[in-house]
Structure formats: C-alpha cells, structure tokens
Amino acid sequence: MTTTPISPASFHISDKIASAVYEGLMSRPKWLPSWLFYDAAGSRLFDQITGIPEYYVTRTERAILAKHASEIISKAAGQSILRIVELGAGSADKTRILLTAAADRQDTVFYEPVDVSATALVEAQLRIEDELPGVIVCPRVQDYTQDLELDSTLPNERRLLLYIGSSIGNFEPGESLMLLERVRAAMDPGDCFLLGVDLVKDEAVLQAAYDDAGGVTAAFNRNLLTRLNRELDADFSLASFGHRAVWNPAESRMEMHLVSAKNQEVWLPGIELRVNFEVGESIHTENSYKYRRGDAEALLSKAGFAPQETWTDERGWFAVVLARAV
Ligand code: AVJ
C-alpha cells in the first residue's frame, strides 16, 4: 500500500476554497468568488456595512418590510398556516419583522433557516427563540445553491420562502435563474416566495454605498486577502492592494476590485501558486447586480412562479416581490 504525502496545509484548507482561489487567480482577468468574503471577520464587517450611512440597502429593505409585514404575511398565507423558510441564516431584524407578523396571526410559527454555516444557524436559533416565543426554529445545514430539501408540510400548511437582502444580486443572470428554478422544484404549488432585489439608481448613490467614506467596505474587500494569507499561507501585502468600486452600466452591476498598487509577485504555498501582478491590475472580487423595474418579476415568471405583488420605497431604490409557485 502506498501512502500519499499530505502537506501540512491540506489539513486546514478546504478543497472548495483551494480550487476556487486557484481557478480565479489563474484566470485573466483575475477574479475571486464573493462568497469568500464571509469568514468570521468578513461577516462582522458586513454587519457593520449594513449600518453605515451610505449603505442604503439593508435599511431601505427593512423599512419596506416593516411597513407591509402584515399584508405580506396575510397575502402569502391565505387560509393556510405559514411555515417560513429562509435561504441564508436570517438577517436578524428583517426576518424578525416577518416572523412577528406571522406569530400575530397563528399560535406557532415554524421557521426553517437554511445555511451552509452551522454556527450561523445556531446563533439564529438562539436569538430568535429567545426573542420570539411563538416561533420554533428548525435549522437546516444545506448549501441552497447546490440542492435544497425542505421539510414536508401538513395539508393546512403553506410555505413562505424568504430570499431577502439582495443576496440574489451576487449571481450572474443565468445563475440566478437556475437558482430560482431549483428552489421552485423544492416547493409545492401554492407556496410563496419573497424576493428582495436592489434597483438601479443614481450612480453616485451606488458608488458611495460600495466605497463608503469610513472605509468599512474597503476593509471588507481587503479582508479577503487577509483570509488567503491565513488559510493558504499567502503573502499578500494589504497595503499594496487598493479598494475600487465601479458601476458597470452595460451589465447593470456594481463591481468591487482589489487593485495592485505596484508590480509584484504573491506566493500562495497552500495551493503552490505564484502570481504576478502588474501595477493597476485588479482582482475582481464581487458583482452586485441591480435590477430594473419588472426584471425580478420576469425572472420569477421564467422560474415557475406567478408574481403577486411588488412593494418599493418612495425613492424606488429597492423592491420586495411576492410570488406564488405555480
Ligand atoms: C450581501 C450581496 C447583498 O451586494 O450589497 C456589501 C454585499 N458588498 N457591500 C451587496 C456587499 C459590498 C451585499 N450583499
């Protein structure tokens, strides 16, 4: 029997991260997937972003949900009991608004958060069961972008799936259609889907939201390099990569990049990769797609849903769409 030598690095590097980083940094232009942002520090930085003055996204969606929560819940429920499923482990107070409205209508609300991170699920469970006594949390550790399997429902129950926070904005148009089709396949006819999408708006507003004066978004972007330094033993010098946020009108998306300030070489022992950067060359780290009015409804229709109603804020910056599985 032969034994395969394992480098020490292999013990803590997940294959998923290693292959994503290898693929992205070997590509021209270079890129890294945006899910890499969310290690513990990155998740904390994103939480911080949701509160900065320039980042209108979270606050605008929360206001829409707060204003229309009981209408959303009663439209979704009809005569049935609602079981609320959330893709992602629950964006704290936004989910709480909807759960509270549901708990006002029925004695018990089953809430099924779906997330790849067991830690995030445990946190969501403790927080929600503590704050909302009428809600029973049934966490599911799953990668909903790959496959989704939901608890079965009773005859008098109907599901409401939440996909809020503009999370869909990170997916390419083709990917978001596939994702919605997969989610639809896990649902039953009559179940509802609530989708939050960020809308196209004045470029200066978008620009500021992704490049705030306090530099929190820049730190969030650069944290990706800190993560690669830690997890792949890389030697990125954080000071030699600048944060850039740009509006790409042709693709209708905000892009984030890390721009090399000089010609330099970076060594990533964990994946045995040496990468050269020219001054001004960038790593494309995120796309955040912005929808036009009607886009989300069209996408939902293609994926097997019938759009029921769309709510927006007065400025028309964000949209929340309720659709029914047909
Ligand atoms: C979590 C994907 C909704 O695109 O606005 C925030 C992530 N990136 N600031 C977004 C993000 C930069 C955020 N989403």
Side-chain angles (χ1 to χ4, degrees):
M1 212 178 90
T2 55
T3 52
T4 316
I6 300 170
S7 76
S10 323
F11 288 112
H12 61 270
I13 301 166
S14 86
D15 286 351
K16 191 181 174 197
I17 292 175
S19 53
V21 173
Y22 190 86
E23 187 193 343
L25 294 183
M26 288 289 281
S27 304
R28 301 293 177 268
K30 299 178 173 85
W31 63 281
L32 288 169
S34 53
W35 52 260
L36 275 173
F37 285 135
Y38 302 94
D39 64 357
S43 303
R44 268 197 308 277
L45 284 164
F46 177 68
D47 267 350
Q48 227 178 303
I49 288 174
T50 64
I52 61 182
E54 295 95 329
Y55 194 75
Y56 60 85
V57 179
T58 312
R59 154 171 354 105
T60 308
E61 184 181 42
R62 186 195 302 123
I64 297 169
L65 295 176
K67 189 165 173 194
H68 303 288
S70 57
E71 190 190 352
I72 292 169
I73 292 297
S74 68
K75 284 226 161 87
Q79 303 304 310
S80 308
I81 302 288
L82 272 191
R83 167 184 280 271
I84 298 186
V85 180
E86 182 165 18
L87 307 182
S91 17
D93 41 34
K94 285 184 288 170
T95 306
R96 196 196 302 130
I97 292 166
L98 294 168
L99 291 173
T100 304
D104 285 346
R105 231 177 152 267
Q106 57 196 61
D107 295 337
T108 307
V109 181
F110 285 100
Y111 170 58
E112 244 177 284
V114 182
D115 203 282
V116 275
S117 157
T119 321
L121 287 168
V122 169
E123 273 170 25
Q125 173 157 30
L126 292 175
R127 191 181 60 227
I128 286 171
E129 288 188 340
D130 181 54
E131 291 171 8
L132 301 170
V135 177
I136 296 172
V137 184
C138 320
R140 301 185 76 94
V141 183
Q142 276 183 31
D143 181 356
Y144 63 77
T145 63
Q146 298 305 311
D147 62 321
L148 182 65
E149 243 179 83
L150 302 172
D151 273 346
S152 51
T153 50
L154 298 168
N156 63 342
E157 271 185 327
R158 181 186 270 177
R159 299 185 186 93
L160 170 61
L161 265 83
L162 310 179
Y163 198 36
I164 56 180
S166 178
S167 308
I168 198 166
N170 278 159
F171 295 96
E172 307 301 308
E175 287 176 341
S176 22
L177 177 60
M178 262 186 1
L179 172 66
L180 293 186
E181 283 171 344
R182 270 205 214 108
V183 170
R184 168 65 193 85
M187 298 169 69
D188 294 317
D191 285 349
C192 281
F193 191 72
L194 192 72
L195 180 65
V197 295
D198 196 18
L199 300 176
V200 174
K201 58 187 63 63
D202 190 81
E203 184 174 344
V205 175
L206 288 167
Q207 181 69 38
Y210 290 83
D211 192 4
D212 58 289
V216 185
T217 308
F220 173 71
N221 198 8
R222 280 204 193 85
N223 176 61
L224 217 155
L225 301 180
T226 308
R227 181 175 191 182
L228 301 190
N229 284 351
R230 186 181 59 244
E231 296 187 25
L232 300 177
D233 259 332
D235 60 359
F236 282 100
S237 137
L238 297 209
S240 345
F241 285 88
H243 168 68
R244 183 168 72 205
V246 281
W247 169 240
N248 180 335
E251 302 289 347
S252 194
R253 69 192 189 202
M254 278 303 295
E255 298 180 0
M256 295 211 307
H257 294 262
L258 288 161
V259 185
S260 180
K262 57 180 191 191
N263 295 324
Q264 55 182 321
E265 186 182 84
V266 176
W267 168 227
L268 296 94
I271 51 172
E272 291 179 30
L273 181 68
R274 213 174 281 285
V275 196
N276 283 296
F277 290 90
E278 311 233 311
V279 57
E281 187 181 357
S282 85
I283 311 174
H284 186 173
T285 53
E286 185 176 50
N287 287 323
S288 189
Y289 281 89
K290 305 305 171 191
Y291 287 63
R292 288 166 210 280
R293 282 170 187 274
D295 284 353
E297 292 85 345
L299 183 67
L300 285 160
S301 302
K302 265 198 206 163
F305 294 93
Q308 305 279 293
E309 183 144 0
T310 301
W311 294 272
T312 56
D313 53 296
E314 304 90 69
R315 295 184 292 197
W317 281 6
F318 198 95
V320 173
V321 185
L322 181 71
R324 197 170 294 285
V326 288

